[in-house]
């Protein structure tokens, strides 16, 4: 008997080692795509995801205030930056498989599952690209401490699919569109074309992930006859525990279906709160 899609998702979420997790993620995505192409898609199923995904013993997870400062002008600082992005990408693998399993009971078109399986597959590739870069530079994932708060967005939105879409792809991944060009410039100036190439792949594919969030957010707003922009802002105020701050990559955000009237009012509120 074939596994269900949610069983495959839970298997990924329950795997601690990063390389093994991403290998299972790739295999699950291939099984899903192959079943869809054959016209016999896997059952979605109803397997329950864990509250928190399995994690390796390393890296040590620290509160944001305790994280060492990165100085990208040095090789050690650039290694620390790659490590930080690898940690984000590994969490993204789990976030997308969690979105598949946790909301499987919500009536959704098959395209929802196609999109998040694809996103999880691409995040798995991103993690491995960055691990390869760390290892080529004499380091590895787990060698440095990492941010402990990455899963909070999943916990805070576990009961609300619209909130999950607003906070994870439309805020957190959209932030990646803002900061990645600057990271690419750091590694280009450092004469590291291999890391530049990896980050350029990540940058291009993260646009798709933000667009999946926007697409399904708008779909659910349409289902409930809601105006998307104010609903987005309300959900972010309630479920996102940091401030939205410019500069924003408005061109790439718009390409991903995220117009300025969604996020600029939140940034302006944050600026007024600081005064």
């Amino acid at each position: 008997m074939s596994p269900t899609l949610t069983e495959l998702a839970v298997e990924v979420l329950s795997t601690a080692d990063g390389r093994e997790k991403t290998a299972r993620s790739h295999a699950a995505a291939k099984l899903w795509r192959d079943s869809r192409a054959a016209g016999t898609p896997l059952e979605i199923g109803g397997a329950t995801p864990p509250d928190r995904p399995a994690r390796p013993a390393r890296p040590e997870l620290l509160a944001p205030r305790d994280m060492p400062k990165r100085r990208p002008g040095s090789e050690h600082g650039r290694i620390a930056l790659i490590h930080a992005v690898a940690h984000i990408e590994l969490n993204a693998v789990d976030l997308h498989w969690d979105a598949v399993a946790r909301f499987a009971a919500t009536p959704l078109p098959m395209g929802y599952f196609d999109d998040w399986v694809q996103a999880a597959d691409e995040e798995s590739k991103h993690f491995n690209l960055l691990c390869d870069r760390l290892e080529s530079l004499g380091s590895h994932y787990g060698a440095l401490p990492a941010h402990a708060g990455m899963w909070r967005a999943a916990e805070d939105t576990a009961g609300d699919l619209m909130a999950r879409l607003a906070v994870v792809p439309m805020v957190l991944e959209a932030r990646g569109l803002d900061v990645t060009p600057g990271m690419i410039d750091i590694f280009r100036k450092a004469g590291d074309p291999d890391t530049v190439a990896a980050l350029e792949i990540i940058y291009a594919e993260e646009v798709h992930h933000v667009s999946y969030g926007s697409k399904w957010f708008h779909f659910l707003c349409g289902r409930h006859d809601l105006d998307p922009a104010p609903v987005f802002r309300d959900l972010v105020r309630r479920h996102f525990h940091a401030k939205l701050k410019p500069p924003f990559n408005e061109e790439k955000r718009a390409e991903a279906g995220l117009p300025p009237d969604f996020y600029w009012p939140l940034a302006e509120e944050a600026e007024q709160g600081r005064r």
Side-chain angles (χ1 to χ4, degrees):
M1 183 180 294
S2 297
T4 66
L5 181 61
T6 52
E7 285 171 342
L8 293 172
V10 169
E11 182 179 82
V12 175
L13 290 161
S14 302
T15 300
D17 178 77
R19 292 282 198 178
E20 185 180 353
K21 182 187 291 287
T22 54
R24 291 189 177 187
S25 176
H26 284 318
K30 183 177 187 304
L31 193 56
W32 173 253
R33 283 195 298 268
D34 288 350
S35 74
R36 290 280 276 147
T40 55
L42 300 176
E43 293 289 333
I44 302 300
T48 302
D51 291 337
R52 297 180 68 85
R55 280 282 177 264
R58 294 284 177 180
E60 178 187 9
L61 299 181
L62 300 178
R65 65 180 178 276
D66 297 328
M67 285 291 294
K69 299 296 183 185
R70 294 188 294 269
R71 294 175 174 80
S74 68
E75 182 178 30
H76 178 76
R78 290 190 294 275
I79 288 171
L81 182 54
I82 297 170
H83 191 279
V85 180
H87 185 64
I88 291 169
E89 298 299 326
L90 188 63
N91 276 270
V93 175
D94 286 324
L95 283 165
H96 296 325
W97 282 115
D98 187 81
V100 167
R102 191 164 302 279
F103 302 103
T106 305
L108 291 161
M110 293 290 272
Y112 171 88
F113 300 100
D114 290 335
D115 284 348
W116 295 118
V117 168
Q118 178 70 19
D121 196 28
E122 290 173 349
E123 304 288 16
S124 302
K125 175 177 66 177
H126 301 169
F127 174 76
N128 287 321
L129 284 170
L130 294 167
C131 285
D132 291 346
R133 294 304 306 134
L134 287 171
E135 290 162 16
S136 74
L137 294 168
S139 188
H140 62 276
Y141 178 67
L144 299 170
H147 195 305
M150 292 295 298
W151 194 249
R152 184 175 182 182
E155 294 173 330
D156 288 345
T157 60
D160 186 336
L161 176 54
M162 289 182 69
R164 173 67 63 89
L165 294 168
V167 171
V168 174
M170 299 174 74
V171 170
L172 296 179
E173 293 197 273
R175 184 61 180 159
L177 302 182
D178 303 334
V179 302
T180 303
M183 290 193 288
I184 290 171
D185 192 49
I186 287 169
F187 287 98
R188 183 174 285 122
K189 288 178 178 176
D192 184 348
D194 292 331
T195 301
V196 168
L199 289 172
E200 285 178 339
I201 290 169
I202 292 168
Y203 183 46
E205 293 180 346
E206 292 295 346
V207 175
H208 306 158
H209 305 168
V210 179
S211 74
Y212 298 157
S214 178
K215 175 171 72 173
W216 294 110
F217 184 82
H218 280 80
F219 172 86
L220 291 170
C221 285
R223 172 180 282 177
H224 300 293
D225 196 24
L226 298 171
D227 184 353
V231 171
F232 170 82
R233 293 193 296 267
D234 179 61
L235 289 169
V236 172
R237 289 185 194 105
R238 287 193 281 132
H239 294 281
F240 184 61
H241 302 285
K243 303 298 184 184
L244 270 65
K245 296 184 292 187
F248 299 116
N249 187 340
E250 294 195 27
E251 179 183 354
K252 287 297 182 183
R253 284 170 171 254
E255 185 180 328
L258 189 56
D261 64 327
F262 275 57
Y263 53 87
W264 263 112
L266 294 168
E268 289 163 358
E269 288 172 17
E271 177 60 28
Q272 289 169 1
R274 284 194 292 270
R275 290 175 182 168

